[in-house]
Amino acid sequence: MAVPNIAQKAPYPVDVEAGKSYWWCACGNSRGQPFCDGSHKGSTFTPVEFKATESTTVWFCGCKHSGTKPLCDGTHKTL
Ligand code: FES
Ligand code: FES
């Protein structure tokens, strides 16, 4: 399996809005982290959708190695 690039070894806090969809960058190459900007084209990566069920702050994974993508699960501390 292809290994994603580490955008940063820390999560990105984002204020999401209930009912909206967000497309998390799985490859690590987007210039608009933590979201996909199309830079994955030509790779085996595709973005992961996050559907907000409430308006709140969520922590999107920046290292791209989380076990609970697209959200941070603390794995970045082991990289
Ligand atoms: Fe990384 Fe699209 S730019 S998944
Ligand atoms: Fe990737 Fe925390 S930033 S697991």
Side-chain angles (χ1 to χ4, degrees):
M1 230 176 91
V3 178
N5 285 323
I6 296 170
Q8 67 173 24
K9 287 186 183 174
Y12 294 91
V14 175
D15 293 330
V16 297
E17 259 181 66
K20 276 199 176 178
S21 278
Y22 298 82
W23 292 90
W24 175 79
C25 166
C27 71
N29 292 332
S30 171
R31 292 192 185 162
Q33 292 295 332
F35 303 118
C36 175
D37 72 352
S39 297
H40 62 271
K41 285 196 183 94
S43 77
T44 56
F45 291 99
T46 50
V48 176
E49 183 178 18
F50 175 82
K51 282 186 186 168
T53 53
E54 57 177 332
S55 295
T56 187
T57 303
V58 299
W59 297 80
F60 285 101
C61 170
C63 73
K64 312 302 177 183
H65 286 72
S66 173
T68 57
K69 299 173 178 64
L71 303 179
C72 172
D73 71 352
T75 297
H76 62 271
K77 291 181 197 140
T78 67
L79 299 174

